[in-house]
Amino acid sequence: MLSDNNMLLGIPNPWNLPHVPSLRSTGSRATLDQIQAWIDTCVNTHQLCRSVSKTDTPLPTRVLDLGVDPSESAPIRLIESAGKNGRYVTLSYCWGKAKFLKTTKDNYTRHKQGILFADLPRTFQHTIKVCRALGVRYLWIDALCIIQDDSQDWAAESVRMADVYQKSFFTLSATWGDSPDCGLFQDFDTASESRIGPVALRQVVHPTLTHITHHENEFPVLTRGWCYQEHLLSRRILYFTMWEVMLQCLESTICECGSSIHKSRGTEQEKYKQFFCCPEDQHPASPSATSPDVASDFWHVTVSDYTLLRLTYSSDKLPAISGIATVIQRKTNWHYLAGLWRETLLTDLCWYVWPPPPAPPNATSSPCGGKPQKQRRKSPTWSWITIPHSNCIHYQAALLSFYQKMPIHLTLHASILDAGCTPLSSMSEVHSGFIVLECYMQQIPLTMMQALVMDLAQGLALDEGLDTPLEEGPFYLIPMVAYVSGDEWFKYTGYTALVVTPAEEGKDEMVRVGLLICHVNPATGGKPGTYKIWERAVNGKKVRIRLI
């Protein structure tokens, strides 16, 4: 950036750098005025943002009432909205391990009477300052607006996340802090700048528009699973980074240093963002943007992005993505099954774990030196939510029709006769589940299974990696989907199949072990060795199995 300096007045800028003041604090009056100007431009001139930006929307169940007095001594009260409308801001931040003020059964009544500004962690304090400076009276912070030790209240509020973030005026992202004690604002001094004569230089790193696992020291909030839906569902996000402030809306992204000013109209990222953050009755895109294929593709992309991120508790896998699932359900009327959808279940089942999870230290032998005691993962094994590690879940790219540049033809080799979970359609917790399939099935020789495990290029992705007990077979191949992509000049052919094994001896139930992906070489037409098993299966007779 170019700093303020009278020596530069009237001199042409040879580097095409924006001329901005040398920022001394992201909490300065100048920065807050800049934020106000950005938001005013968005509200008044962005057609897409205006279409989903009503002045007053229904408030969440509870919000913090900041009043109209901007002073720190002004009262802050937790109120029950009781159907009231208003404009409110949401906060996305890292909880971290530090203790900080939360709403509990014990202090709920006191919080309704008033909360002292001094009792709040710095991130909450700074957020209140921003809201008051921008004239926004109501604020929603999960730790204060959900009763944290009330499981019923927590369950009820967690499934309302779609509404909370979709309808907020903007979401404030505490991007650089790893706990609420860090705050939003960063102060700078000239020591952090490099100078070349009158030109002041400072390195600025921008957060990407999707969540990331690199740059985790700079943007820890973007590595957290719970924060994923908070950002995806928000129509506007105000990022407070270590270097500057940045505003992302449905039409553009703009930052203080000026290097991220761009429009996002017509991009795949924009369509993805619009799909999730626009309420159903206000969707501005074409009808194709909410078609079943697009909804399914977006869900697969979401699962892949989301499973890269971190959760403190594995039991949060469904709750932390429940807001996004709610949006899909509202737009499609589909039935939710433990992270998959009944209406697209055959392709939803075609997930795989990559990179392969490593074998644990005790995978080769038991403590007594004998055969390892293997405990199968819980039901439903056909859902990615039961994977006990943090490896990313992927879907075969050829099955994402929305992103295909060439025509694709799918052939389904199985059909769903019945499916269900306990509890049914739960967005927060699943204890068990089943799928009844009518399908082809062919046993895989143990020697081939062992060879596939040793050669990842053959396309077998085991759900539990090298911890899979191959000696406990038999293993079976269930063909799911064959696909052909391309045109008369270039065709790309592939096959996807589940790999299963009996749940228990003497029972007619199967558990999932992994996914096999076969590709035909588009240049030579060469087929992998596993194709023979596939071909033998699809030329046989269909059977009925129960997958748990």
Side-chain angles (χ1 to χ4, degrees):
M1 68 176 69
L2 293 181
S3 67
D4 281 336
N5 192 301
N6 290 332
M7 293 176 61
L8 296 178
L9 292 179
I11 299 177
N13 177 357
W15 307 284
N16 293 319
L17 293 174
H19 181 86
V20 297
S22 292
L23 303 176
R24 291 292 170 252
S25 172
T26 54
S28 67
R29 184 68 253 179
T31 294
L32 295 174
D33 289 343
Q34 180 65 79
I35 293 170
Q36 184 68 71
W38 288 343
I39 292 177
D40 289 344
T41 298
C42 175
V43 171
N44 296 322
T45 68
H46 291 178
Q47 181 179 358
L48 188 56
C49 299
R50 290 174 63 186
S51 69
V52 295
S53 196
K54 296 179 179 178
T55 301
D56 292 328
T57 58
L59 295 175
T61 305
R62 303 179 196 92
V63 290
L64 297 173
D65 185 350
L66 309 181
V68 294
D69 185 347
S71 65
E72 292 186 6
S73 60
I76 302 166
R77 294 187 303 115
L78 179 66
I79 65 169
E80 296 177 355
S81 61
K84 183 178 180 179
N85 287 354
R87 177 177 285 184
Y88 66 95
V89 165
T90 43
L91 175 65
S92 179
Y93 64 102
C94 288
W95 278 45
K97 298 180 180 180
K99 294 183 178 181
F100 60 96
L101 184 65
K102 307 177 184 73
T103 295
T104 63
K105 294 177 183 177
D106 181 61
N107 64 21
Y108 179 53
T109 300
R110 292 197 301 274
H111 283 187
K112 291 173 68 176
Q113 296 169 348
I115 301 173
L116 293 178
F117 184 86
D119 289 342
L120 297 171
R122 292 182 75 233
T123 298
F124 295 3
Q125 292 179 351
H126 290 176
T127 300
I128 290 171
K129 289 182 179 180
V130 172
C131 289
R132 285 173 166 167
L134 300 179
V136 180
R137 179 169 180 170
Y138 301 109
L139 172 63
W140 190 90
I141 301 176
D142 55 0
L144 295 175
C145 297
I146 300 175
I147 303 174
Q148 296 300 313
D149 58 351
D150 186 331
S151 59
Q152 290 184 338
D153 187 66
W154 192 91
E157 293 304 309
S158 66
V159 298
R160 296 191 176 110
M161 292 299 101
D163 287 332
V164 169
Y165 285 95
Q166 277 188 331
K167 295 177 180 179
S168 69
F169 187 50
F170 64 82
T171 290
L172 196 156
S173 177
T175 315
W176 65 271
D178 59 6
S179 82
D181 292 329
C182 293
L184 298 178
F185 307 146
Q186 282 277 23
D187 296 327
F188 308 107
D189 56 39
T190 55
S192 65
E193 298 175 347
S194 299
R195 303 192 72 87
I196 304 175
V199 180
L201 303 175
R202 183 188 304 145
Q203 181 185 27
V204 174
V205 180
H206 295 106
T208 60
L209 302 186
T210 56
H211 283 234
I212 54 176
T213 52
H214 60 286
H215 287 312
E216 61 182 280
N217 293 329
E218 294 92 344
F219 312 119
V221 75
L222 300 185
T223 69
R224 304 302 303 174
W226 272 102
C227 297
Y228 181 81
Q229 67 178 2
E230 297 169 3
H231 289 68
L232 185 58
L233 297 174
S234 301
R235 66 186 73 169
R236 297 183 191 90
I237 307 173
L238 183 61
Y239 296 94
F240 275 79
T241 76
M242 297 175 69
W243 303 274
E244 61 172 355
V245 174
M246 185 171 80
L247 179 69
Q248 176 198 358
C249 67
L250 297 180
E251 291 201 13
S252 68
T253 300
I254 189 169
C255 65
E256 286 183 284
C257 76
S259 62
S260 271
I261 301 175
H262 67 270
K263 296 286 186 178
S264 57
R265 296 298 297 273
T267 64
E268 301 300 336
Q269 176 68 31
E270 177 213 27
K271 296 173 184 176
Y272 185 60
K273 177 75 175 174
Q274 287 177 20
F275 183 92
F276 286 110
C277 73
C278 295
E280 294 67 43
D281 59 347
Q282 299 172 346
H283 202 289
S286 62
S288 62
T290 54
S291 69
D293 283 346
V294 171
S296 180
D297 288 352
F298 283 167
W299 179 251
H300 292 166
V301 171
T302 296
V303 169
S304 294
D305 287 346
Y306 169 68
T307 52
L308 264 176
L309 307 176
R310 298 185 181 127
L311 291 169
T312 302
Y313 305 104
S314 60
S315 58
D316 285 348
K317 280 186 179 180
L318 282 180
I321 203 173
S322 61
I324 299 174
T326 298
V327 172
I328 294 278
Q329 192 171 62
R330 288 174 178 173
K331 290 179 181 288
T332 62
N333 291 319
W334 288 350
H335 298 83
Y336 196 50
L337 295 173
L340 289 74
W341 299 95
R342 173 66 173 81
E343 286 72 12
T344 56
L345 199 47
L346 285 181
T347 52
D348 283 4
L349 285 168
C350 296
W351 56 266
Y352 62 97
V353 182
W354 192 263
N362 62 347
T364 55
S365 63
S366 69
C368 298
K371 181 179 177 180
Q373 297 299 308
K374 173 64 180 176
Q375 182 178 1
R376 295 196 184 278
R377 71 179 193 268
K378 66 178 183 178
S379 173
T381 61
W382 43 263
S383 172
W384 53 267
I385 69 168
T386 61
I387 296 298
H389 42 72
S390 59
N391 294 70
C392 183
I393 301 298
H394 291 275
Y395 284 88
Q396 184 62 14
L399 301 181
L400 301 179
S401 59
F402 184 68
Y403 293 98
Q404 292 299 311
K405 304 303 180 184
M406 295 185 292
I408 183 169
H409 175 72
L410 300 182
T411 301
L412 304 180
H413 286 283
S415 54
I416 307 294
L417 301 181
D418 196 9
C421 288
T422 304
L424 187 64
S425 298
S426 174
M427 294 281 182
S428 59
E429 186 178 18
V430 170
H431 303 300
S432 62
F434 73 92
I435 298 174
V436 179
L437 283 170
E438 186 174 61
C439 58
Y440 300 108
M441 189 166 69
Q442 180 66 41
Q443 185 169 351
I444 306 173
L446 182 58
T447 54
M448 177 173 280
M449 279 291 294
Q450 293 169 336
L452 290 172
V453 170
M454 299 305 295
D455 184 4
L456 296 178
Q458 291 292 321
L460 176 63
L462 295 172
D463 296 346
E464 297 183 65
L466 297 178
D467 196 26
T468 302
L470 295 181
E471 70 279 2
E472 292 187 10
F475 298 96
Y476 297 90
L477 186 86
I478 298 178
M480 299 296 287
V481 181
Y483 49 88
V484 179
S485 176
D487 52 31
E488 58 181 318
W489 305 106
F490 182 90
K491 289 193 182 296
Y492 184 81
T493 305
Y495 313 88
T496 303
L498 294 181
V499 178
V500 301
T501 191
E504 293 182 35
E505 188 175 353
K507 285 194 174 184
D508 189 24
E509 292 180 331
M510 295 285 178
V511 295
R512 174 181 158 134
V513 174
L515 188 76
L516 182 68
I517 302 172
C518 309
H519 300 299
V520 174
N521 189 312
T524 66
K527 299 174 181 177
T530 50
Y531 178 75
K532 293 180 180 179
I533 300 292
W534 169 283
E535 193 173 40
R536 197 176 303 144
V538 296
N539 287 326
K541 292 184 178 180
K542 284 191 172 182
V543 296
R544 185 175 296 187
I545 70 160
R546 183 181 174 93
L547 190 62
I548 62 171

